[in-house]
Amino acid sequence: MTAVDNGHTHLRGPVLIIGTGLLGASIGLGLRRWGIDTVLSDPSPSAEAVAQDIGAGRPLRDAEPGFSPQLVVSAAPPDVTAAVVVGALKDYPDTVVVDIASVKATVAQDLAGAGADLSRYVGTHPMAGREKTGPVAARAELFTSMPWVICAPEEATGTAIKTAQALALDLGAIVTRMTVEEHDQTVAMISHLPQVVSSLVASRLQSTPPQALSLSGQGLRDVTRIAASDPSLWVQILGANASRLVDILYGVREDLNRLINTLEHPQAEGARLDLAHLMSEGNAGQARIPGKHGAPPKAFAQLTVLVDDIPGQIAKLLTEIGAIGVNMEDLRLDHSPGQPVGLAEISVVPNRRTELIEALTERGWKVVS
């Protein structure tokens, strides 16, 4: 199969993807959109078959004699990534090999220890995913506008680095360059810590009475959303990046002990001030997380619209906002407990908020804030 010359692709193919889970199958779907010949391999015949059935690529067993891909993507679990990369470098001596494992330093160390040809290898990490796993959860647009980190070893050739970048660009991702140590330290804070804290909070719910859980609002759902992630994968990730995560958890433990000590004596002198400081420190940290287009989250104003819980209402609301001519910067949906209505929290630029409230009210929508 020949890649379609559409002016948008950087890779010419073929691309061999080893591992057809969520990320591997999503890469296949994303490349197939551009007509790039994508070949699949997975130790699980059923996973490979599902990835093939959804259109992520053709099986390696059907490849022509002398098959030599332009690029091999190791989408294998972190604990076998290095072995898969070593095997691919050996099997395809003229091919660039990348991996997409979520930890980089241990992979780099294992490859160096194995004496792998690092001139044709580039470590990468697409910062995208879902709580669902497997090829059935794959999406061609999964990487669109998401960061894709390139961690090239010193030995990597310019061709190898350009090929790795081409993969990210063809999938619509935003390329970022880091060293393996910078990467692993970064993901320990922005990815691994949130996962651990989410799982710890969710674990407290195991013995919570159903009546109490029925009162859960969006706050609990937000905090525990990623607690639904695959435990087997996270055992590997946390183990591989343990030393960096532990350093961060020491700081969390200090803050938690500080909070416990304050709450044990909430009426003591200075207790309320300390609680205020803790909450304010959280405010300051949260405000640093970039919003849309890199703008601070508070750069936008919010309003909440009551939406009847019937088919088509959200679509109708979004259509009318578009007709009013106000650009919606963000949308968050929630349900009103025990009521057949939903809450649509809409973010807009501040100088359009009043205009939108008035226009929606005129059209019969109930704006509650």
Side-chain angles (χ1 to χ4, degrees):
M1 183 181 298
T2 303
V4 175
D5 183 10
N6 51 34
H8 294 285
T9 58
H10 297 80
L11 292 172
R12 65 177 187 276
V15 175
L16 170 60
I17 302 172
I18 303 176
T20 56
L22 167 65
L23 297 183
S26 294
I27 290 172
L29 289 173
L31 295 179
R32 292 291 299 135
R33 286 189 304 181
W34 300 123
I36 296 173
D37 183 15
T38 306
V39 181
L40 307 173
S41 176
D42 196 292
S44 168
S46 58
E48 182 179 308
V50 171
Q52 181 183 354
D53 288 345
I54 65 174
R58 60 188 176 101
L60 178 59
R61 63 179 178 273
D62 292 346
E64 61 278 3
F67 172 71
S68 180
Q70 177 194 11
L71 173 67
V72 173
V73 179
S74 170
D79 61 348
V80 297
T81 291
V84 171
V85 170
V86 169
L89 289 168
K90 180 180 178 181
D91 292 343
Y92 305 102
D94 298 319
T95 295
V96 173
V97 179
V98 305
D99 77 90
I100 59 168
S102 54
V103 286
K104 308 311 319 172
T106 55
V107 173
Q109 292 165 5
D110 291 344
L111 291 176
D117 179 7
L118 299 182
S119 68
R120 295 185 289 117
Y121 163 75
V122 178
T124 82
H125 181 203
M127 303 293 293
R130 306 180 67 191
E131 297 80 47
K132 299 178 181 179
T133 60
V136 293
R139 297 290 184 270
E141 66 279 3
L142 185 66
F143 310 102
T144 302
S145 298
M146 302 299 291
W148 193 300
V149 183
I150 303 289
C151 300
E154 293 182 359
E155 299 89 339
T157 65
T159 297
I161 295 172
K162 288 180 181 178
T163 303
Q165 292 174 336
L167 172 66
L169 295 173
D170 278 344
L171 294 171
I174 301 170
V175 174
T176 299
R177 295 285 297 272
M178 285 184 170
T179 67
V180 294
E181 186 58 39
E182 288 171 339
H183 169 274
D184 286 3
Q185 190 64 48
T186 296
V187 296
M189 174 59 73
I190 69 168
S191 175
H192 304 170
L193 177 64
Q195 177 64 55
V196 168
V197 172
S198 177
S199 295
L200 289 174
V201 172
S203 72
R204 297 293 89 201
L205 305 179
Q206 295 178 93
S207 58
T208 302
Q211 184 178 5
L213 291 176
S214 68
L215 303 178
S216 300
Q218 195 61 36
L220 183 64
R221 293 186 178 92
D222 285 347
V223 171
T224 60
R225 179 181 61 83
I226 57 175
S229 298
D230 180 12
S232 61
L233 175 62
W234 275 99
V235 166
Q236 299 178 41
I237 294 172
L238 297 178
N241 209 27
S243 62
R244 299 165 188 84
L245 180 58
V246 164
D247 286 341
I248 299 170
L249 289 174
Y250 286 149
V252 174
R253 183 171 66 183
E254 291 177 4
D255 287 342
L256 186 58
N257 286 337
R258 171 184 163 194
L259 175 61
I260 291 172
N261 291 335
T262 300
L263 291 178
E264 284 178 337
H265 307 284
Q267 305 303 322
E269 183 179 355
R272 292 177 177 80
L273 179 60
D274 193 45
L275 291 175
H277 282 164
L278 279 169
M279 300 301 291
S280 295
E281 289 164 9
N283 293 159
Q286 194 276 338
R288 297 192 65 206
I289 302 174
K292 184 178 178 182
H293 307 310
K298 292 185 179 180
F300 304 122
Q302 285 77 40
L303 59 141
T304 302
V305 183
L306 289 182
V307 182
D308 292 334
D309 193 9
I310 58 177
Q313 286 299 100
I314 293 296
K316 179 181 177 182
L317 173 61
L318 299 184
T319 299
E320 295 202 0
I321 292 174
I324 294 167
V326 175
N327 187 51
M328 184 174 62
E329 305 294 342
D330 200 0
L331 172 66
R332 174 173 164 175
L333 300 176
D334 195 5
H335 282 86
S336 180
Q339 300 294 324
V341 296
L343 304 174
E345 183 180 281
I346 299 164
S347 297
V348 297
V349 292
N351 63 355
R352 304 299 298 276
R353 181 177 183 273
T354 300
E355 173 191 352
L356 182 58
I357 291 175
E358 292 175 351
L360 288 175
T361 302
E362 289 176 0
R363 286 166 169 76
W365 294 97
K366 186 173 182 180
V367 183
V368 295
S369 64

